[in-house]
Amino acid sequence: MKSAIAAFAALALAAPVLAQEDAPPAPPPCQDESYRAFDFWLGAWRVTDPEGSFQGNNVITQAEDGCLILEHWTSANGGTGQSYNFYDPGLQKWRQVWVSGGGVIDYAGGLTETGSMKLQGEIAYHNGAAFPFTGEWTLQDDGTVRQHFEQFNPETETWDPWFTGIYTRVDSAE
């Protein structure tokens, strides 16, 4: 009887381990559509202004099991900037925090009805001045991405264009 009890106890202790081994693996985090809404921006890009003048290169990659999008910008004159982009489940919005030369843009938003990613927040310059700011990324039919930024001008109470870039994919073989 003692051996039957011991065998039952051993089986009972092993059952959770056996159940864990038989259970399907947990899905990776950040895979539902909310987390994939900005994937159209991933890639290596050559950026021009709307007239075609070269503005810089931008490399957009995923990190943290697809939970984070990293931006690495190099302008035509050698300036740089980086951003962290992520879906914030608490806010239920996309956020971007951009840092370049002491300036910071911090904004949040999501997909518009037309499918572009639009973020709204604030730009803060290294001198302490801060203004409302918007950014919008739109996937075009030809596969390019149009990026358009505006900054609020409190003197005129208007939204002024800040930067418009046309992103064209760079072939990885180049």
Side-chain angles (χ1 to χ4, degrees), residues 49 52 64 79 130 170:
D49 65 18
E64 301 301 325
V170 176

Side-chain angles (χ1 to χ4, degrees), residues 11-173:
L11 184 58
L13 290 173
V17 172
L18 293 173
Q20 288 175 355
E21 289 175 3
D22 291 340
C30 307
Q31 296 304 308
D32 70 48
E33 68 182 62
S34 297
Y35 292 92
R36 306 280 51 92
F38 214 174
D39 283 0
F40 67 86
W41 195 36
L42 294 170
W45 303 90
R46 180 180 192 279
V47 182
T48 62
D49 65 18
E51 290 75 38
S53 295
F54 179 69
Q55 299 297 303
N57 293 300
N58 215 348
V59 177
I60 316 301
T61 59
Q62 281 187 338
E64 301 301 325
D65 295 320
C67 298
L68 179 65
I69 293 178
L70 299 172
E71 174 185 15
H72 297 278
W73 166 256
T74 304
S75 71
N77 66 7
T80 61
Q82 296 184 48
S83 72
Y84 272 33
N85 303 267
F86 55 95
Y87 180 75
D88 184 327
L91 291 176
Q92 295 185 340
K93 292 182 178 184
W94 270 87
R95 284 200 52 212
Q96 182 185 90
V97 178
W98 160 268
V99 178
S100 176
V104 174
I105 302 171
D106 189 353
Y107 44 9
L111 291 178
T112 67
E113 289 180 10
T114 62
S116 65
M117 178 64 70
K118 185 159 188 179
L119 307 179
Q120 300 174 335
E122 184 175 82
I123 186 169
Y125 293 96
H126 67 278
N127 65 4
F131 303 94
F133 198 81
T134 66
E136 187 168 12
W137 295 257
T138 306
L139 179 61
Q140 306 293 301
D141 291 339
D142 64 1
T144 62
V145 172
R146 181 181 184 270
Q147 179 187 57
H148 181 70
F149 296 135
E150 294 182 325
Q151 177 181 304
F152 185 73
N153 182 335
E155 292 178 14
T156 62
E157 295 189 10
T158 59
W159 285 92
D160 296 337
W162 192 83
F163 176 79
T164 299
I166 306 299
Y167 281 59
T168 302
R169 286 193 187 277
V170 176
D171 186 342
S172 59

